[in-house]
Amino acid sequence: MTSISPDDAVTRTSSAPSAAPGTSVRKVAIASGIGTTIEFYDFFIYGTAAALVFPTVFFPALGATAGTVASFATFAVAFIARPAGAVLFGHFGDRIGRKKTLISTLLLMGISTFAIGLLPGAETIGVAAPIILVLLRFGQGFAVGGEWAGATLLTAEYAPAKKRGFYGMFPQLGPSAAFILSSATFLVTGAVFGDTNEVFLDFGWRIPFLFSAVLVLIGLYMRLAIEETPIFRANKEVENRSAAPDRLPILEAWKVQKKEILLAAGALASLFSLFYMGTAYLTSYGTKTLGFDRPFVLWTGIIAAVVFGIAIGISATYSDRVGRRRVIMTSCAIAVPWALALFPLLDTGNEVVYVVSMCITLGIFGIAYGPTGALLPELFQTRFRYTGAGLGYNLAGVLGGAIPPLLAAPLTAQYGSIAVGVMLALLSVLSLGCTKALVETREVSLA
């Protein structure tokens, strides 16, 4: 078999295998949505803590600016780990199944996050504190690297062909719900322990991390209750009867669909840059540069996350009508001028402008993110779909999610905040071109 061509996207049809007894697409969609919410909650509370707390707790000797850069460097570590997680968990997801692999990613994320909540600060154990923090952050990134592709595949492979965009929306809503939940937990702990006192810095910030253990148990219950996808089971039956050599999924995916992997990474780079700049970096920018108080910034994040979720729902559903590429290209086209305007607007120091800017930034991201849950599963063949989709998605995370937050502080210090906007605009131009180069996948059969 070869990679998807435009003609294949229209003509390839087959009847999907019957669903597993007791498992409905609605049940799978809800389980996937809850699972990604928990995984990204764990991921995002780190980003919030990196902006608000970690420079003081883990890098006190570096000072405010250098401590913030170091804190965001540990934040970026997870994005480096994500492609490795995509390869490893993708291998097992394509070999032993989506469900079992997703249970493993959830457990790894839960253990890593809970351990961060117990980690002593630099004043207690010295340089060991940031080193252990980096290792645990690597574990978080490794888990998320395998989570997203599995959750979207689980839903896409169960969904009716003409509603894959709609049902693919549910795991995509996980980051929106998770950002609301993570911001809310920091608001509550800040209110209980005091927003600036030492009790919050010593203990209060740890509660969101420790609370993740409860969410992980809920996620495990939901995932254990669903069955493996019929499409995966049917494909394994065919492979078991075949005399073809057993190739590693990563090697086969790279050999057969390298173009799709690289184009997907470029197409989603803008998406990642907007989201992680709009969450982690702008949280730090709002408190440290613009001087807004922490509760205001966190409430702004919650409002923006609601807009983000609405944009995901609308764009994912609309992509079933007009196609995935067109919707994502619209987001990229809007992102170019907005990225250039964003920081001049923020630097006015107006609170209303800050709220509106956050909402627009995450809204533009949501337009692209909604159809992505259907696009990437549709791009790749079943036997290496987990690996291919996960690798494309997480390479985009390195390009758009790791690099911009890491470069933003030094760019601002050297050239002013407009340099960050130029960087985001260039990534959006790259994504626009890569998305245009992809074929439309809306009519592709996954069976």
Side-chain angles (χ1 to χ4, degrees):
M1 295 179 70
T2 58
S3 58
I4 299 170
S5 69
D7 291 338
D8 291 337
V10 177
T11 60
R12 282 173 52 194
T13 58
S14 63
S15 58
S18 58
T23 300
S24 67
V25 64
R26 182 177 299 178
K27 184 177 181 180
V28 171
I30 293 172
S32 294
I34 291 174
T36 55
T37 297
I38 295 166
E39 293 264 12
F40 279 94
Y41 166 81
D42 288 359
F43 203 71
F44 292 158
I45 56 175
Y46 190 101
T48 304
L52 302 178
V53 178
F54 287 174
T56 302
V57 174
F58 293 105
F59 305 100
L62 297 181
T65 301
T68 299
V69 172
S71 183
F72 278 116
T74 67
F75 180 78
V77 163
F79 292 95
I80 307 302
R82 285 172 70 154
V87 171
L88 179 66
F89 288 115
H91 174 86
F92 290 109
D94 286 323
R95 287 290 182 83
I96 67 174
R98 287 55 163 128
K99 173 185 172 178
K100 293 178 181 178
T101 304
L102 284 171
I103 290 172
S104 300
T105 65
L106 190 60
L107 283 172
L108 176 59
M109 175 60 86
I111 292 169
S112 300
T113 304
F114 190 81
I116 291 173
L118 298 176
L119 182 62
E123 292 185 356
T124 303
I125 60 174
V127 71
I131 293 174
I132 297 171
L133 181 68
V134 169
L135 293 175
L136 293 173
R137 179 59 174 170
F138 190 92
Q140 282 190 318
F142 204 70
V144 170
E147 163 66 25
W148 182 87
T152 55
L153 261 61
L154 201 67
T155 305
E157 290 185 345
Y158 264 104
K162 294 187 181 300
K163 291 188 176 182
R164 276 199 297 263
F166 171 77
Y167 282 108
M169 162 185 70
F170 287 89
Q172 299 300 83
L173 287 172
S176 172
F179 191 45
I180 293 171
L181 191 58
S182 65
S183 297
T185 54
F186 274 98
L187 274 170
V188 171
T189 53
V192 171
F193 294 101
D195 191 45
T196 58
N197 64 22
E198 291 188 5
V199 177
F200 178 77
L201 291 175
D202 289 341
F203 178 74
W205 69 269
R206 301 177 184 277
I207 292 178
F209 289 84
L210 301 177
F211 176 65
S212 69
V214 177
L215 299 179
V216 168
L217 291 176
I218 296 171
L220 285 174
Y221 173 79
M222 293 296 299
R223 286 192 168 167
L224 288 169
I226 60 177
E227 300 294 333
E228 186 55 75
T229 72
I231 287 176
F232 175 81
R233 289 186 286 110
N235 186 71
K236 292 306 293 182
E237 290 176 5
V238 171
E239 288 184 350
N240 290 338
R241 294 195 300 266
S242 172
D246 192 17
R247 297 187 180 93
L248 292 174
I250 179 59
L251 297 180
E252 191 170 13
W254 189 253
K255 179 180 179 181
V256 178
Q257 292 194 259
K258 176 170 62 176
K259 176 183 176 182
E260 284 80 3
I261 292 173
L262 294 177
L263 285 177
L268 303 183
S270 172
L271 175 155
F272 273 98
S273 68
L274 288 172
F275 185 56
Y276 290 104
M277 290 298 293
T279 54
Y281 182 74
L282 289 188
T283 298
S284 175
Y285 197 79
T287 54
K288 293 182 171 58
T289 302
L290 301 179
F292 299 141
D293 61 57
R294 185 181 297 159
F296 168 75
V297 171
L298 291 172
W299 273 112
T300 299
I302 291 174
I303 294 169
V306 172
V307 174
F308 167 41
I310 293 171
I312 288 174
I314 294 173
S315 64
T317 304
Y318 193 59
S319 75
D320 282 329
R321 296 176 54 189
V322 303
R324 324 300 181 204
R325 286 171 67 250
R326 185 181 300 180
V327 177
I328 295 173
M329 287 174 65
T330 299
S331 170
C332 296
I334 297 172
V336 175
W338 174 249
L340 296 174
L342 175 60
F343 283 91
L345 288 171
L346 289 172
D347 288 343
T348 64
N350 185 284
E351 291 186 346
V352 175
V353 171
Y354 181 77
V355 174
V356 172
S357 297
M358 283 281 286
C359 290
I360 293 176
T361 301
L362 291 188
I364 294 172
F365 163 69
I367 294 172
Y369 198 61
T372 302
L375 171 70
L376 287 190
E378 291 168 345
L379 272 176
F380 297 98
Q381 298 174 23
T382 303
R383 64 183 186 275
F384 51 75
R385 181 172 291 138
Y386 202 131
T387 300
L391 190 57
Y393 183 81
N394 289 295
L395 285 175
V398 174
L399 183 59
I403 297 174
L406 194 57
L407 294 182
L411 280 175
T412 301
Q414 184 72 25
Y415 303 105
S417 60
I418 188 63
V420 180
V422 172
M423 175 180 63
L424 296 178
L426 291 174
L427 282 171
S428 297
V429 171
L430 171 67
S431 293
L432 183 62
C434 289
T435 306
K436 184 175 176 58
L438 287 169
V439 299
E440 179 54 56
T441 60
R442 180 167 56 108
E443 301 294 336
V444 169
S445 169
L446 297 186

